[in-house]
Structure formats: structure tokens, C-alpha cells
Amino acid sequence: MDQRPRLADVAARAGVSTASVSLVLRGEPGPSAETRERVLAAAAELDYRPDRTASLLARRRRHLLGVLLDVRNPFHAELVEELHVEADKAGYEVVLSTLTRGRDEDRAIETLLDFRCEALILLGPDASEEALDRLAAQVPCVVIGRTVGAAQVDVVRPADDIGVDAALLHLIGLGHREIAFVDGGQGAVAAIRRRGYRRAMRRAGLLPLIVAGDHTEEGGVLAGRRLLAGPALPTAVVASNDRLAVGLMDAFVRAGVDVPGRVSIVGYDDSSLARLAHIDLTSVNQDAPAQARNAVLAAVSRLDKGRTVRFEAVLVPHLVVRGSTAPPVSS
């Protein structure tokens, strides 16, 4: 049986009405300073904690934002932390539903719909534009991290072409000409970065070299082994995300290939992995706080203000240079 103190218990201890207790605990105007002091003292004495579930159910609206993320992606973890901050400012709670090896996007999104979330924020989804359009017909949706054509979803994304350009300009400026790209696989985000690499290499008059990968550390290890088995190593490699870059670095270190002495490596996301001292990865920063701020703004403006016009925010990424890049040995 639940023996937790109730709002009525705090009211009885403080000698005020439950309405006054509710106003004090929500920080709203009305009760006197003396009443506030008595209520807060009573709540502390009783170790009272509000029942979030009951509070949400008592409202006509649930004020829940559902977030789809890949639990294996450290950049998604950073985005979720920022989303919590922004949602709390807006008076919303966040419900998380994760992708795992055995749990795909459809199932994860279904979970969020089962929780009756008022809007969904999808981090780097691979769903087709048609599927996103169908979902947006049920509930307001914000997509973070990729372009979306005509689907009626709001979009917050980095200008990935500028991010990849920044990585290549840095390497070319150091003197590199043989620059490979480790691909992220079949997803929409990977495709955008792959196109950006090809375009930037053509513009620089350099020959593209794309190695298959899958946005995981294991994919980076396999890509590194493929490069090591080739006729000659490139002098630099750009990876489609930081996880690939870390796997690539691991393969090279195990083979005795110095980074950055023999091969320079650039990642994408500037995740917590990149900032570790023993990894020290040059990487493209996407500004997670700004992405989260814009995503919550997009969702809340539909829910609270009835906005119907499609919203898209394109943020300019920047390169953070660390110890994984250096001029090529021959320069």
C-alpha cells in the first residue's frame, strides 16, 4: 500500500487549504510569505514529493514530448540531455524510446504513441519521407539531423555540407591530398555526409575514396582493416561520425600505424568520445544545445500556439581541431 504523504497531509500539517499548498509548491502568486513558509516547512517535515503521474493525468493535456534516439549513439545522449533542459523550461516532460539491436524505429515510435505523447522529436530517423508524413498526420513531429523533402514535419539539422567542407579544408590546408571517407551506411544522415564528401573532393580536384562503414565502432574497425589491406594507405581519413572514427583509430593503433603521424583522422559529431584525452579527435561540432533549443521550440509552438506552417532550422557546424590531425609525413 502506498504510504507516501499526500497534498492533503501537507495542508493539514500547515493548517491551510490544499489549494494554497498547490499554489506554493508550483511557485505561483497568491499565498502570503508566512503561508509559503509554513507550507514549505510542512512539506519538508513530511518528505512530500508531488506525484508526477497524477499531476499529468489531472490535466486535459499531458505535456509529454516523446524522443526517439539510438541508445548506442553518444551524440544522441548529449542531445537528450539538452532536450530535457529545454523541455523543462517550456513546462514539458520528456519520454524516451530507444533503438537497440533488436528494437527498430517502428517499434520505438509505437511506444511513444502508446504513451500518448503530444509531439515527437526524432533524432536522425531513417524512416522514409512518406512514413514521416503519415506519422505527422497523427502527431506533430520534429526531425533532428537530416533533410526532409515535402513531409509535413519540422526539421532541425546541421548544414552537413559545410561541416564536411570544414573537415576537408582543414586536411587540405595541412597538405593532405589522399583523403578517404569512411561511410555511415544506408541511413539518411550518412547519405548526406557522403554526398558532401564527394562534392568537396571534386571541388578540390581530388579523387574520392569511399570505404564502407555503418556508424558503429565495429564498422570503423572493419573499414580500417580494409584500408590496411589496400595497396597504400591514404594520408588522412574523414569518418561519417565519431564512433566510426574511434573504431578506425583502434584498427590503426593495433596495426602499429601512428595517428596522426602516418594517418590523420577527422570525426563528425564532436561527441564525448572525441574529447577524451587518449582519443583527442578532431571532429565537426553540430551545436547540440542549439539543436535541442530549436527542436523544443518547434514542438511547443505547434502545441501551445497552434502553428501550422512548417519550420526548418539549418545550423552551421564548425570544426574542433584536436590531436588526431597533422601535416602528412611527406609534406
Side-chain angles (χ1 to χ4, degrees), residues 21-209:
V21 172
S22 180
L23 288 172
V24 170
L25 296 180
R26 296 202 310 269
E28 296 185 9
S32 66
E34 180 188 356
T35 297
R36 290 182 187 279
E37 187 176 334
R38 284 159 52 196
V39 167
L40 293 174
E45 291 167 7
L46 293 171
D47 195 23
Y48 172 77
R49 295 185 64 189
D51 187 335
R52 286 276 186 175
T53 303
S55 175
L56 288 170
L57 290 173
R59 305 175 192 170
R60 289 187 177 182
R61 290 182 49 195
R62 294 178 65 80
H63 285 76
L64 295 178
L65 299 178
V67 177
L68 167 77
L69 72 149
D70 187 337
V71 71
R72 300 155 295 185
N73 189 324
F75 182 65
H76 283 191
E78 293 183 37
L79 273 174
V80 165
E81 185 173 4
E82 300 297 339
L83 287 168
H84 270 288
V85 171
E86 297 301 327
D88 189 59
K89 290 178 185 176
Y92 281 76
E93 295 289 339
V94 171
V95 175
L96 303 179
S97 189
T98 62
L99 303 178
T100 65
R101 285 192 302 271
R103 197 165 189 268
D104 63 12
E105 280 188 13
D106 289 342
R107 184 177 170 192
I109 289 171
E110 196 64 38
T111 297
L112 296 174
L113 296 176
D114 288 344
F115 270 91
R116 293 167 52 209
C117 294
E118 288 194 285
L120 303 185
I121 298 176
L122 312 177
L123 308 189
D126 288 330
S128 68
E129 292 189 6
E130 292 77 11
L132 290 172
D133 214 18
R134 289 194 299 271
L135 184 60
Q138 302 178 60
V139 61
C141 293
V142 184
V143 169
I144 294 184
R146 58 168 277 196
T147 57
V148 177
Q152 290 305 302
V153 297
D154 295 319
V155 175
V156 178
R157 63 178 179 87
D160 276 319
D161 53 343
I162 294 176
V164 174
D165 272 352
L168 287 169
L169 285 172
H170 168 65
L171 292 170
I172 292 168
L174 290 173
H176 293 278
R177 294 296 179 269
E178 298 169 354
I179 306 170
F181 181 77
V182 179
D183 190 27
Q186 299 301 312
V189 173
I192 295 167
R193 294 176 187 175
R194 181 170 58 248
R195 286 197 298 270
Y197 165 77
R198 282 200 180 105
R199 189 162 49 242
M201 290 291 280
R202 283 198 301 269
R203 193 161 52 238
L206 301 176
L207 185 65
L209 171 60

